Amino acid sequence: MKQSRFTEAQIIGILKEQEGGTPTAEVCRRHGISSATFYKYKARFGGMDVSEAQRLKVLEDENSKLKKLLAEAMLDIAILKDVASKKW
């Protein structure tokens, strides 16, 4: 996945700027993002504070690690079942 140019804190700052009354097109032009990107950021980070966004990032990282561990465990179980089911 492509890395974002902006940190979570910067994205929230951009959203707050628009909420302050600046037109969306002006905010997008000033920061060099498309309106689609702006609304994607708004859908993900809208209404959040910086601390909440950092907490979300930590939880997403932990979730991905747990998914990898689960996938490895399920693979090990499938291999063991396959070996056990073969007749010698």
Side-chain angles (χ1 to χ4, degrees):
M1 190 162 88
K2 186 176 179 184
Q3 192 76 11
S4 177
R5 290 189 316 186
F6 302 105
T7 64
E8 288 89 3
Q10 291 172 328
I11 292 170
I12 291 172
I14 293 169
L15 295 176
K16 298 276 185 197
E17 186 177 331
Q18 189 268 341
E19 290 172 2
T22 309
T24 305
E26 175 67 22
V27 172
C28 292
R29 185 188 60 77
R30 188 178 308 150
H31 295 285
I33 60 174
S34 68
S35 59
T37 301
F38 176 82
Y39 288 113
K40 183 178 74 170
Y41 289 162
K42 190 171 184 176
R44 183 166 180 171
F45 297 107
M48 281 189 182
D49 291 332
V50 176
S51 62
E52 292 172 341
Q54 290 172 345
R55 174 95 172 115
L56 176 66
K57 177 73 173 162
V58 169
L59 289 174
E60 287 175 345
D61 290 342
E62 183 180 356
N63 192 23
S64 67
K65 288 178 186 176
L66 291 173
K67 283 182 179 180
K68 287 179 186 175
L69 287 173
L70 178 63
E72 289 173 1
M74 291 176 71
L75 183 63
D76 289 343
I77 290 170
I79 291 171
L80 291 173
K81 283 183 180 179
D82 187 41
V83 168
S85 67
K86 290 184 180 178
K87 294 183 180 178
W88 296 97

